[in-house]
Amino acid sequence: MSGIILTFPILDGKVEAWRRFCQEVSGSRLQMYLASRRRLGITREQMALVETAFGATAITTLEAPDVDRALGLIIASHLSFDIWYRKRLHELHGINLAGYEQFAQ
């Protein structure tokens, strides 16, 4: 089993939107989220919010037998939940995972 810790700053004014995103993932989109994670091979994922005087940051830990493969699949997936997930990351963190498609190989 391998793991990775991802740290993404939350854009100014987006902390409440990040909290709503987490609620949506664990609520109305839970079944899609769980199906996505099974398909990606992610066995554990935890998200946490860290707020400091310098701003807010989201810390995500992922565990999977093959983390590189899981991240590559997140980046390249054309499934609706994964597209929605990437869009939310872009809105909340300013990170466009499409720019990392070369790593999905």
Side-chain angles (χ1 to χ4, degrees), residues 10-30:
I10 298 173
L11 296 175
D12 287 340
K14 297 287 186 174
V15 172
E16 283 308 312
W18 182 86
R19 287 186 173 118
R20 285 191 305 277
F21 164 72
C22 291
Q23 289 172 341
E24 196 171 350
V25 165
S26 65
S28 64
R29 293 185 186 260
L30 179 61

Side-chain angles (χ1 to χ4, degrees), residues 17 20-21 23 46-47 52 56 67 75 91 100 103:
R20 285 191 305 277
F21 164 72
Q23 289 172 341
Q46 293 181 299
M47 294 185 278
T52 71
V67 171
I75 292 168
E91 292 169 358
Y100 296 92
F103 298 110

Side-chain angles (χ1 to χ4, degrees), residues 26-92:
S26 65
S28 64
R29 293 185 186 260
L30 179 61
Q31 294 309 311
M32 291 179 281
Y33 166 78
L34 293 173
S36 169
R37 290 339 190 224
R38 277 191 301 272
R39 185 180 50 76
L40 298 170
I42 296 172
T43 56
R44 185 172 186 186
E45 180 174 15
Q46 293 181 299
M47 294 185 278
L49 173 66
V50 176
E51 294 185 86
T52 71
F54 304 107
T57 298
I59 299 173
T60 302
T61 59
L62 295 175
E63 293 179 10
D66 187 343
V67 171
D68 292 340
R69 177 183 174 280
L71 291 175
L73 289 172
I74 289 173
I75 292 168
S77 174
H78 295 291
L79 296 177
S80 61
F81 177 83
D82 298 333
I83 292 168
W84 172 83
Y85 188 86
R86 287 192 309 263
K87 181 180 176 186
R88 296 300 290 150
L89 290 180
H90 186 251
E91 292 169 358
L92 298 169

